[in-house]
């Protein structure tokens, strides 16, 4: 008698159903411990950081997204969080840019992109900041000095303030960097004027003015644009 691989329907009905596998939902802490941070969504990271799902959800509703939240001021965060938690959220949301900037400083800053990456922390600033990046003869960073803070739309920096740290640290050269809080990297008339003033002074002082970089959503640099 032939052996049939396929059983009759009546036979199949008599086979007991396999018991469903027990499923377990892990807490965020357990999920993090078992699978690592890559297994968590951005919202889940925020919930762990804040400690209360309701507050994390309220933050996202108010700001609209994690990216918008990352640009929130300390005063804005304090509307939802106690002082310590607000400080922790600000630090956590900016630490990636800070880490990338520190890593970039380990190599020579010999291109506009390298300079941009070494100053990624400026993307989180809520005011316009002018920074002088001092370099040695091998284009390695000696130090970075923030010399001026302005309003959201403008900043003021005199050549005297720009050259003082370069002279004090005996820098071979320097790069001028400033951020646009709006994210727009288009240069303004004032940006071009200060670039030309600094370039003229650098020739007199015989200090190498290597570039002027605007940090925003990406970057703009005056050297490659032929404006320096």
């Amino acid at each position: 008698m032939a052996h049939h691989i396929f059983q009759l329907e009546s036979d199949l009905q008599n086979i007991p159903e396999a018991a469903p596998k027990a499923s377990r939902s892990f807490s965020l802490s357990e999920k993090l411990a078992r699978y690592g941070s890559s297994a968590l969504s951005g919202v889940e990271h925020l919930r762990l950081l804040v400690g209360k799902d309701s507050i994390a959800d309220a933050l996202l509703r108010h700001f609209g997204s994690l990216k918008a939240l990352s640009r929130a001021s300390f005063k804005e965060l304090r509307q939802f969080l106690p002082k310590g938690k607000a400080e922790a959220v600000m630090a956590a949301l900016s630490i990636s840019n800070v880490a990338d900037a520190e890593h970039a400083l380990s190599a020579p800053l010999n291109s506009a992109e390298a300079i941009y990456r070494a100053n990624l922390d400026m993307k989180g600033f809520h005011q316009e900041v002018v920074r002088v990046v001092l370099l040695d003869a091998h284009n390695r960073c000696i130090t970075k000095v923030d010399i001026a803070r302005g309003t959201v739309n403008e900043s003021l920096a005199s050549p005297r303030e720009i050259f003082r740290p370069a002279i004090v640290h005996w820098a071979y050269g320097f790069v001028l960097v400033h951020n646009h809080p709006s994210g727009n990297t288009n240069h303004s008339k004032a940006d071009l004027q200060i670039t030309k003033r600094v370039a003229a002074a650098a020739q007199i002082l015989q200090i190498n003015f290597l570039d002027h970089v605007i940090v925003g959503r990406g970057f703009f640099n005056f050297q490659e644009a032929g404006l320096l």
Side-chain angles (χ1 to χ4, degrees), residues 21-73:
K21 293 182 179 180
S23 60
R24 178 189 170 192
S25 59
F26 295 107
S27 69
L28 291 183
S29 297
E30 290 173 324
K31 191 175 178 181
L32 179 65
R34 280 174 171 265
Y35 306 113
S37 62
S38 61
L40 302 183
S41 67
V43 175
E44 288 174 327
H45 276 92
L46 182 62
R47 287 172 178 168
L48 271 180
L49 184 63
V50 172
K52 290 185 178 180
D53 291 0
S54 59
I55 296 178
D57 293 343
L59 284 168
L60 288 176
R61 282 196 303 271
H62 180 79
F63 291 100
S65 67
L66 282 173
K67 186 169 184 178
L69 177 61
S70 70
R71 299 184 64 83
S73 66

Side-chain angles (χ1 to χ4, degrees), residues 84-169:
K85 285 289 186 183
E87 291 171 342
V89 168
M90 288 196 75
L93 291 174
S94 63
I95 196 168
S96 177
N97 282 338
V98 173
D100 286 343
E102 289 183 354
H103 177 70
L105 288 173
S106 64
L109 304 184
N110 51 14
S111 69
E113 183 174 358
I115 294 162
Y116 165 69
R117 293 191 178 282
N119 293 278
L120 279 173
D121 58 307
M122 299 183 80
K123 292 179 71 173
F125 292 175
H126 301 283
Q127 285 185 309
E128 199 164 303
V129 174
V130 177
R131 173 178 290 176
V132 177
V133 181
L134 304 177
L135 303 174
D136 64 16
H138 301 288
N139 288 325
R140 291 189 176 275
C141 180
I142 299 171
T143 189
K144 297 188 290 186
V145 182
D146 292 350
I147 61 169
R149 290 181 178 270
T151 65
V152 169
N153 297 313
E154 63 181 11
S155 61
L156 300 173
S158 68
R160 179 188 301 174
E161 297 303 315
I162 291 170
F163 285 101
R164 180 180 288 124
I167 294 170
V168 168
H169 290 277

Side-chain angles (χ1 to χ4, degrees), residues 133 135 163 171-175 202-203 205-211:
V133 181
L135 303 174
F163 285 101
Y172 167 80
F174 70 94
V175 175
Q203 285 187 333
L205 294 173
Q206 296 184 333
I207 298 176
N208 296 297
F209 178 26
L210 302 174
D211 208 344

Side-chain angles (χ1 to χ4, degrees), residues 166-210:
I167 294 170
V168 168
H169 290 277
W170 292 83
Y172 167 80
F174 70 94
V175 175
L176 198 61
V177 184
H178 80 277
N179 66 306
H180 283 176
S182 67
N184 188 337
T185 57
N186 291 335
H187 69 279
S188 66
K189 183 178 179 180
D191 294 336
L192 183 56
Q193 287 177 339
I194 190 67
T195 301
K196 290 184 175 181
R197 288 175 61 197
V198 171
Q203 285 187 333
I204 295 172
L205 294 173
Q206 296 184 333
I207 298 176
N208 296 297
F209 178 26
L210 302 174

